Amino acid sequence: VLGDKKLQFFDGASGVIKLLGTSDLGGAYDFSESFANLEAGQEFEKEFAWTAPEGGRDTVTWTATVTAEGDTNPDNDSATAVTRVRR
């Protein structure tokens, strides 16, 4: 789930989920995790550790993208969210 978007997989799904973050202050954050042989309706959950940048206010825009073998609808494979850092 990223924001309110939940990804659903088909039977035997395998692929990669990538999470990219871009900071207004110039930082970049890149995470990825593979998944394999998910059953239809099975959920895949992964948490990535991230530390907010030092030095005040920042906004990070996150984009999660899933690449899966046999995907028949690549138009729904990504979602975005924003984190606002206020220190």
Side-chain angles (χ1 to χ4, degrees), residues 9-15 35-42 68-70:
F9 298 97
F10 56 89
D11 199 31
S14 296
F35 57 89
N37 299 318
L38 296 181
E39 296 178 18
Q42 181 179 356
E69 298 171 15

Side-chain angles (χ1 to χ4, degrees), residues 2-86:
L2 183 64
D4 62 352
K5 189 168 184 178
K6 188 174 187 177
L7 303 170
Q8 297 178 346
F9 298 97
F10 56 89
D11 199 31
S14 296
V16 176
I17 185 168
K18 294 183 180 182
L19 181 63
L20 302 175
T22 304
S23 163
D24 283 352
L25 297 177
Y29 313 96
D30 186 358
F31 305 95
S32 66
E33 184 74 22
S34 297
F35 57 89
N37 299 318
L38 296 181
E39 296 178 18
Q42 181 179 356
E43 295 181 11
F44 172 78
E45 186 175 310
K46 176 64 183 170
E47 292 183 19
F48 299 105
W50 170 74
T51 302
E54 295 290 332
R57 296 174 179 255
D58 191 12
T59 300
V60 180
T61 301
W62 299 99
T63 302
T65 304
V66 174
T67 305
E69 298 171 15
D71 186 357
T72 59
N73 186 5
D75 293 337
N76 69 352
D77 292 352
S78 65
T80 59
V82 174
T83 301
R84 289 180 177 81
V85 178
R86 306 291 180 239

